[in-house]
Amino acid sequence: MLKLLQVLRERRTAVTAQVLASRFDVSERTIYRDIDTLAELGVPVVGEAGVGFILLPGFFLPPMALTQVEADAILLGLRFVAARGDEEIATAADTALGKITENMGDDEAASMRWNGLTAGPAGSGKLAELATIRAALRSQKKLQIGYRSGDGEERTRIIWPVAIGFFGQAELLAAWCEMRDAFRHFRLDRIGELQTLPDTLPRSRRSLLAEYRLMEPHANL
């Protein structure tokens, strides 16, 4: 039942009893019975015939044991953040790892930390700019940038930051460009002047991100 809870917590949309039954190799009747038991215990699971079950937000589930592969994936991701992120987010990666290993036995924690997986720094080295952009993403503020295009021409642009992608030697900022009246991508290593403006975005970043996803369905956002 804890595994059933975990699956429900991971899903953003409703999942049917048929899918759950197939996942755990049990009957749909067993799934219905276990969902009823969870509901009796106070777990906020709601369901609708033909739609499926969904776990309402806000439910706290105690930490669960990680498999070795899950631990490898998490540590690799945290090491990537520590290597490529600005000081604030790199420190957060380190503290997050500490919180994860606190709930593991000594052997499991040691095995996770010594898994032999790492991520190199690379990137543009624009850590201060990265911190400024992340702050603008959180506060949903416009940015004014001096941007140098591929042909060397530099222009001042006002943009609405949407997302940051990390690629090889550079980071890529996806944003709505007021000058182009469209989504554009900006390499951080080509950004000169960078200033956060007091103007709040005319649209929520969530709606902008949803529109951007339609344009870039493989962006993994």
Side-chain angles (χ1 to χ4, degrees):
M1 291 180 68
L2 284 174
K3 290 180 180 179
L4 178 60
L5 264 178
Q6 182 69 10
V7 170
L8 291 171
R9 186 172 68 168
E10 292 171 353
R11 297 291 293 253
R12 296 182 180 179
T13 56
V15 55
T16 64
Q18 181 181 12
V19 171
L20 292 171
S22 176
R23 171 76 177 267
F24 295 108
D25 195 24
V26 297
S27 68
E28 292 183 38
R29 183 177 180 180
T30 298
I31 295 296
Y32 284 116
R33 183 189 63 207
D34 289 345
I35 291 291
D36 287 342
T37 301
L38 290 173
E40 290 173 1
L41 293 172
V43 177
V45 179
V46 296
E48 182 179 339
V51 176
F53 301 102
I54 191 167
L55 182 64
L56 297 180
F59 178 71
F60 174 75
L61 185 62
M64 299 184 70
L66 299 173
T67 67
Q68 185 62 59
V69 177
E70 289 170 340
D72 285 350
I74 289 173
L75 185 59
L76 180 58
L78 291 174
R79 283 178 172 166
F80 180 89
V81 171
R84 295 287 299 270
D86 57 80
E87 183 178 359
E88 181 187 38
I89 200 169
T91 300
D94 188 57
T95 57
L97 178 59
K99 291 178 180 179
I100 292 170
T101 54
E102 278 180 6
N103 296 297
M104 303 173 71
D106 292 341
D107 290 342
E108 290 83 359
S111 177
M112 180 180 182
R113 289 182 178 272
W114 291 82
N115 67 2
L117 302 177
T118 188
S124 63
K126 293 263 189 175
L127 300 184
E129 289 83 353
L130 180 59
T132 299
I133 293 169
R134 287 199 309 104
L137 284 169
R138 286 197 303 266
S139 61
Q140 302 194 71
K141 297 293 186 182
K142 293 183 181 182
L143 289 171
Q144 178 175 296
I145 64 172
Y147 191 72
R148 187 181 71 257
S149 61
D151 58 10
E153 182 181 6
E154 184 167 338
R155 291 184 177 179
T156 298
R157 305 193 189 198
I158 295 177
I159 60 174
W160 310 349
V162 176
I164 304 173
F166 293 78
F167 301 91
Q169 301 300 316
E171 298 82 29
L172 208 62
L173 170 62
W176 181 269
C177 177
E178 291 190 355
M179 184 177 77
R180 299 297 187 189
D181 196 28
F183 286 109
R184 288 291 185 268
H185 297 110
F186 302 92
R187 288 176 54 133
L188 264 63
D189 57 354
R190 292 181 180 174
I191 293 178
E193 172 200 4
L194 174 63
Q195 178 184 357
T196 304
L197 299 178
D199 311 65
T200 301
L201 301 185
R203 296 166 52 194
S204 72
R205 194 171 67 86
R206 180 173 294 185
S207 69
L208 288 168
L209 187 57
E211 186 176 337
Y212 178 77
R213 283 174 172 166
L214 293 176
M215 187 183 79
E216 298 284 349
H218 304 297
N220 194 28
L221 289 168

